[in-house]
Amino acid sequence: MPITKTNKILESSLKNLRNSLTSLSLDQFLASTIDSLMEIERGEYLEQAKDPESVKDKGNGFYGRAFNSLSKNCLKIHVPRTRTGDFSPDTLELVKISQEQVNELCLSLYKKGMTSRDISDLMREMFGEGVSATKVTNLSKVFRQFREAWENSKLEKHYLVMFCDCIFVTVRRGDNYSREAVYVSYGVREDLKREVLSLSINPTESSLEWGEIWEKLKIRGVEKIDLIIADGISGLEEEVARLFPNSKFQKCVVHKMRNILNKTRPQDKKEMAEDLKKVFDNFDDNATVQKALQKVDGLCQKWKEKYPHLDRFWRDEIIEYYFTYIQFHPKVRRMIYTTNSIENLNRAIRKATKNKLSFESPDNLLDYVFMVIKEFEEKNFMKYPINDYKYLDEANTGHN
């Protein structure tokens, strides 16, 4: 189309805008701009239609079209048309929002922590016809097929270390709502990247459930884990020995400290906490398991009069499992003597689930948490290898 014709359309549009500038809203300005762009497009189309080899066509006025804009008002535009009906302005696509895009937006908001009801209300405000809360929930089920495929996918044969932990989330099972244990574990691969290995739910945390989870890891191809780190629940060491007999096992010292402090009088907690920190402060080259056990004896002797049964916290289980980290290189010990390494992942799960209050079924909960952990894995675990994990290969076998 000759430039003069384009200029004429633009000049006419700008003149109309200037004449109504005092009363022009943002939506009206946007609609007028879109009208002008579409009219220019039709002009270019009709100019090409003059070509002898093209189908003859002529302009045929306009038809009205309404869209809901982001400012909650109805955006009314005038779409130019031609007699053959073959013309469709590309500009129109700029103001269209397909159902697929709406679905993607709903899922993104759901993944960020908004409730199904909130998303439904927001969609109604933005685009008129709302997306029902039930539909949002059903859309989220698309992640179930990905979760189920992931649960059966092959894993690495060898992991340097595996961290295991549980967090509790409210979920509906049958007619009742209760807080249930969400089991999460991740492993450090040979390339020092971290990979989420398992996700499951059970009404309570138990060593038997962890055993079933680890059995599934073996089915998925895991043959060797150098070090397994978990809390101190009863029977866990037996499950480690049964399924990964060549693995070393480290019980989380933070869980142990917390259990002892929960049985300590308020006025003694500060001093007891300092003493416990000294017991587990074994990060220098000269530290040995034997020296750590001597510190435990000293702790029990110091508090014997006030807490005569303190030694039970150590005597009723294999105490050495709390000091396995001493067998490794000093540079990596702080990374493996607790389950704190998995806490960032747990924090992401808590943040995402706190707005949900509860979930209607265990599967709905797992579908949602799966979205969260896979996004976290992609943006953190797989993106940033932890180079100090290379020292896991350098066990201090003489430091016992």
Side-chain angles (χ1 to χ4, degrees):
M1 181 178 65
I3 190 66
T4 53
K5 192 167 185 179
T6 300
N7 288 345
K8 184 176 180 180
I9 294 172
L10 290 174
E11 287 175 3
S12 175
S13 299
L14 288 172
K15 182 178 179 180
N16 291 334
L17 286 174
R18 283 196 298 270
N19 290 338
S20 58
L21 192 59
T22 56
S23 60
L24 196 65
S25 69
L26 178 61
D27 284 337
Q28 289 171 323
F29 178 83
L30 179 60
S32 181
T33 302
I34 292 172
D35 288 349
S36 300
L37 291 172
M38 289 191 295
E39 191 172 353
I40 291 173
E41 277 195 77
R42 183 176 66 172
E44 292 177 343
Y45 167 81
L46 293 176
E47 194 66 28
Q48 294 174 358
K50 292 179 180 179
D51 190 303
E53 297 181 1
S54 300
V55 177
K56 302 301 180 183
D57 204 354
K58 291 185 177 181
N60 190 30
F62 304 84
Y63 68 90
R65 185 79 181 268
F67 295 92
N68 283 336
S69 71
L70 295 180
S71 63
K72 306 180 186 178
N73 298 317
C74 190
L75 185 66
K76 297 178 180 178
I77 61 175
H78 303 87
V79 183
R81 59 188 174 192
T82 62
R83 289 187 177 181
T84 65
D86 292 336
F87 169 69
S88 178
D90 292 334
T91 304
L92 191 61
E93 300 302 318
L94 297 176
V95 290
K96 280 185 179 179
I97 297 183
S98 67
Q99 187 60 52
E100 290 76 14
Q101 290 171 310
V102 172
N103 291 347
E104 289 179 8
L105 178 59
C106 289
L107 287 174
S108 178
L109 294 173
Y110 187 79
K111 186 167 60 176
K112 296 298 182 184
M114 287 186 66
T115 65
S116 300
R117 180 63 59 188
D118 288 341
I119 295 171
S120 176
D121 293 342
L122 179 62
M123 293 298 104
R124 186 173 291 106
E125 289 182 11
M126 291 178 63
F127 305 117
E129 293 185 6
V131 179
S132 69
T134 301
K135 183 175 182 180
V136 174
T137 301
N138 289 336
L139 282 172
S140 68
K141 291 179 181 178
V142 70
F143 290 95
R144 185 165 305 171
Q145 58 184 321
F146 295 111
R147 174 172 65 84
E148 291 174 347
W150 169 73
E151 288 173 343
N152 294 293
S153 63
K154 284 294 181 181
L155 296 171
E156 303 283 323
K157 291 183 178 181
H158 175 217
Y159 290 89
L160 301 179
V161 60
M162 178 173 68
F163 291 87
C164 306
D165 200 10
C166 284
I167 65 171
F168 287 81
V169 181
T170 301
V171 65
R172 179 179 181 179
R173 194 182 288 271
D175 296 328
N176 300 314
Y177 288 90
S178 61
R179 288 174 62 80
E180 297 196 3
V182 176
Y183 292 68
V184 183
S185 68
Y186 85 81
V188 179
R189 309 189 317 190
E190 290 181 348
D191 63 1
L192 306 183
K193 292 182 179 180
R194 293 160 291 171
E195 177 182 8
V196 177
L197 301 180
S198 66
L199 170 68
S200 62
I201 186 171
N202 195 57
T204 60
E205 183 180 11
S206 72
S207 58
L208 293 179
E209 181 66 18
W210 275 118
E212 291 183 12
I213 292 169
W214 296 340
E215 284 178 350
K216 292 176 182 177
L217 295 185
K218 296 190 74 171
I219 293 173
R220 294 170 65 188
V222 178
E223 297 178 0
K224 179 184 178 183
I225 302 175
D226 296 341
L227 175 65
I228 296 174
I229 304 169
D231 64 19
I233 61 174
S234 177
L236 208 54
E237 52 267 45
E238 285 85 355
E239 293 300 315
V240 172
R242 178 174 69 89
L243 294 163
F244 296 101
N246 296 320
S247 299
K248 288 183 170 63
F249 179 46
Q250 169 68 44
K251 289 190 174 184
C252 177
V253 305
V254 170
H255 285 80
K256 171 59 73 177
M257 293 173 66
R258 189 181 298 137
N259 289 340
I260 294 175
L261 291 173
N262 284 340
K263 300 294 184 179
T264 304
R265 298 186 185 101
Q267 61 268 32
D268 295 331
K269 282 191 175 183
K270 183 177 180 181
E271 186 177 355
M272 179 68 80
E274 290 299 321
D275 288 345
L276 287 169
K277 287 179 181 179
K278 293 176 183 177
V279 168
F280 293 112
D281 184 359
N282 303 291
F283 306 114
D284 57 77
D285 290 332
N286 297 321
T288 66
V289 173
Q290 187 59 41
K291 290 179 181 178
L293 296 178
Q294 291 172 1
K295 287 194 284 186
V296 172
D297 291 338
L299 174 76
C300 293
Q301 285 297 320
K302 174 181 176 179
W303 293 96
K304 186 176 181 179
E305 290 188 11
K306 281 191 174 182
Y307 302 97
H309 303 302
L310 180 60
D311 60 339
R312 290 182 182 177
F313 284 94
W314 311 93
R315 196 175 64 220
D316 293 344
E317 56 185 324
I318 301 176
I319 186 175
E320 284 81 4
Y321 284 130
Y322 288 100
F323 299 104
T324 304
Y325 67 98
I326 300 175
Q327 300 176 32
F328 292 86
H329 195 287
K331 287 189 176 181
V332 78
R333 289 179 194 170
R334 292 184 186 275
M335 301 164 62
I336 61 173
Y337 81 132
T338 74
T339 56
N340 285 355
S341 179
I342 204 172
E343 184 55 35
N344 286 338
L345 176 60
N346 288 345
R347 191 178 297 114
I349 296 173
R350 290 191 188 95
K351 180 180 178 181
T353 57
K354 70 177 182 180
N355 291 334
K356 302 294 184 183
L357 298 181
S358 65
F359 292 83
E360 290 303 307
S361 73
D363 272 332
N364 283 351
L365 170 59
L366 290 178
D367 293 341
Y368 181 70
V369 174
F370 173 72
M371 292 190 289
V372 174
I373 65 175
K374 292 305 286 184
E375 182 177 46
F376 185 91
E377 179 186 67
E378 179 183 354
K379 293 182 177 180
N380 297 275
F381 282 179
M382 302 302 285
K383 190 174 182 180
Y384 302 107
I386 306 298
N387 291 326
D388 279 353
Y389 277 126
K390 64 187 178 184
Y391 293 107
L392 282 168
D393 286 332
E394 303 180 25
N396 285 4
T397 54
H399 289 51
N400 296 315

